[in-house]
Each structure stands twice: as C-alpha cells, then as structure tokens.
Amino acid sequence: MILAHLNHYKVVLASKSPRRQELLRGMGVKFTTLTKETPEDYPAMPFKKVPEYLSRQKSLAFTDEELPENYLLITADTVVIAENEILGKPVDKADALRMLQLLSGKAHHVVTGVTVRSKDRMKTFSATSKVTFATLDPEEMEHYVDQYQPYDKAGAYGIQEWIGYVGISGLQGSFYNVMGLPTRKLYQTLKEFK
C-alpha cells in the first residue's frame, strides 16, 4: 500500500479548509483535524517566504501535549501575490471586488507553504504557481462574489469554482497548489517520514 508507513502515525491536519481536507483525503491519507487560531502577522521578508513562515508558526502553536501520541502534524498557508501586494482573505464585498479587479487581465503568483512535523523532526517547504486571469467585466466579478462568497479564500477566488472555469486563461505550476495544498510536494515529503 502506498504511504503505508503513515499508519504508524496519527496524522493531524491543522486546517479548517474544506479544500485542503478534500485534497489530503484524495491523496489516500487518513487523518483527523485539529485547529487553533494563530496570528497571521509576519516580519518584513520576501513575500514568497511568508507562507513558509506562517505554516511553521501554525505548527509551532501546538505543543506536543496538545497532539495525539505519535502525531504527524500538517499545517499550511496560502497567499496570493499580485502587483507587489499580498492578497489575503477579503474582509467584505468591496475588498473582494478590489482584489478581483487587481487580478483581472494579469498574471499573479500563488504560494503555499506547508510544514510537516512529528515529535522528532520538522520539514517546511513551499510551492509557487503562476495564474493568469482573462479580463473580467464588472458584472462577472459581482456575480462571482455574490454567488460564491469567496471570503475564506486568499485573493478572493477559488480556482475550482465558476471563476476558475471562465476566468483563468493560463496556469504554470500545480493546480492543487492554487487550491491550497501542493499535493505532489506533500506526497514526496510524506514519503520521507518513515
């Protein structure tokens, strides 16, 4: 069985994201979820390093005592980088429309940082995907925000939703990374935790 060695661990995904849960399940990994609110502040650093830093902070927020015996903890953070700005989750409709306007007709980068931690080791890595949007008209942006409420998504969009079907004209890198989990890199890392 692929990744059979993970049966020696209690795998814990520290994420409320239904997309990350779906992707990890799709990889054939059995896991439980455990979440903890952690600050999403970061010191001055190159934008592409922020997701690794935040995924590590999310991991370190849990003490060994809070986790099951023989745990393997997976934490992740995704950011959208556009026009020299990190786009987090929109705070309201106006913010979501502002972000979509910024992305419309241009390319941007999506970076996901992941930390995998057991009692005796920790590995952090990231993956970057370049996403290009077609030019969206205001009616399309309004429709998407009203119908899909993308307030829990960095950059105010989900590639797997309507806007991804009609608005994305190009993608370099991992599609699943844009959804929130670079599955190939995570798979390779999980293979190392024997």
Side-chain angles (χ1 to χ4, degrees):
M1 182 179 136
I2 301 294
L3 298 179
H5 66 281
L6 292 184
N7 292 332
H8 303 299
Y9 289 107
K10 298 262 196 240
V11 179
V12 177
L13 175 65
S15 177
K16 290 182 204 164
S17 165
R19 293 161 299 282
R20 286 196 183 115
Q21 293 171 24
E22 173 192 345
L23 291 172
L24 194 56
R25 255 192 309 277
M27 292 172 64
V29 177
K30 291 186 175 112
F31 65 93
T32 58
T33 57
L34 189 62
T35 58
K36 181 185 265 199
E37 290 300 318
T38 54
E40 301 217 350
D41 305 334
Y42 49 88
M45 65 176 66
F47 286 164
K48 287 190 174 183
K49 293 289 183 190
V50 169
E52 285 189 17
Y53 173 83
L54 291 175
S55 77
R56 222 175 2 259
Q57 293 305 107
K58 288 178 179 182
S59 181
L60 295 173
F62 291 92
T63 64
D64 285 343
E65 293 72 38
E66 291 176 285
L67 295 161
E69 195 65 32
N70 208 26
Y71 67 83
L72 187 68
L73 178 67
I74 301 169
T75 55
D77 191 84
T78 301
V79 301
V80 171
I81 303 169
E83 305 280 308
N84 286 324
E85 181 184 351
I86 287 185
L87 303 182
K89 296 170 185 168
V91 294
D92 56 23
K93 181 177 178 178
D95 196 30
L97 291 171
R98 176 191 73 81
M99 290 182 187
L100 291 174
Q101 184 62 52
L102 191 65
L103 300 175
S104 176
K106 301 183 197 98
H108 62 275
H109 291 95
V110 178
V111 185
T112 300
V114 178
T115 298
V116 180
R117 180 181 133 209
S118 65
K119 269 193 169 66
D120 52 4
R121 65 191 285 214
M122 181 164 80
K123 179 166 183 186
T124 300
F125 62 90
S126 63
T128 302
S129 301
K130 183 179 178 183
V131 181
T132 304
F133 264 85
T135 301
L136 303 168
D137 64 42
E139 184 184 12
E140 290 167 329
M141 290 185 266
E142 286 265 351
H143 166 78
Y144 176 66
V145 173
D146 288 344
Q147 295 299 310
Y148 292 88
Q149 308 280 313
Y151 303 115
D152 64 335
K153 297 174 180 71
Y157 79 93
I159 194 170
Q160 73 283 2
E161 295 176 340
W162 180 83
I163 201 148
Y165 300 148
V166 305
I168 291 176
S169 58
L171 172 66
Q172 291 176 311
S174 167
F175 174 88
Y176 299 112
N177 180 54
V178 183
M179 277 181 70
L181 208 56
T183 53
R184 174 67 190 160
K185 275 192 163 183
L186 177 56
Y187 174 74
Q188 291 171 306
T189 300
L190 291 174
K191 281 169 73 174
E192 296 168 16
F193 274 74
K194 289 193 173 179

